[in-house]
Amino acid sequence: MSWSGKSLGFWGGYQVKMADGTVHAGLVRSDSTTELHLATPGGGGLVLPRGQILTMVPVAVSMMPQGLDAALGEENLLDLVAYLLSLK
């Protein structure tokens, strides 16, 4: 079973292009009329001013690193998915 590249429909990733030309990718943690809080790969985070965002496009594939499913093994992967679903 391969899960890489598939989104389970929660915490969809977004690609955000800013007015200065920078592009960020991550998971939306919170959103308001003034700020977008984005969780970035590797455990980081960004607070982006809403007025500086040009585009915000959903990412069609999972942000799970390629090959993680094989490294975890089926039982650990199923445990991880169950845990993530419990947070939904």
Side-chain angles (χ1 to χ4, degrees):
M1 159 185 351
S2 176
W3 292 72
S4 293
K6 295 178 177 65
S7 174
L8 295 176
F10 50 89
W11 301 306
Y14 283 85
Q15 183 177 35
V16 181
K17 184 173 183 182
M18 305 300 292
D20 66 2
T22 58
V23 177
H24 304 286
L27 307 173
V28 175
R29 288 294 176 221
S30 67
D31 191 5
S32 73
T33 57
T34 59
E35 295 177 333
L36 175 70
H37 292 247
L38 203 63
T40 56
L46 295 169
V47 178
L48 305 174
R50 266 289 184 189
Q52 297 297 310
I53 297 174
L54 293 180
T55 60
M56 187 171 157
V57 181
V59 177
V61 297
S62 171
M63 295 184 73
M64 184 172 79
Q66 189 75 22
L68 181 63
D69 54 337
L72 288 175
E74 187 171 349
E75 185 175 337
N76 287 329
L77 183 61
L78 290 172
D79 288 344
L80 174 60
V81 171
Y83 168 72
L84 293 173
L85 287 170
S86 76
L87 299 176
K88 188 172 179 181

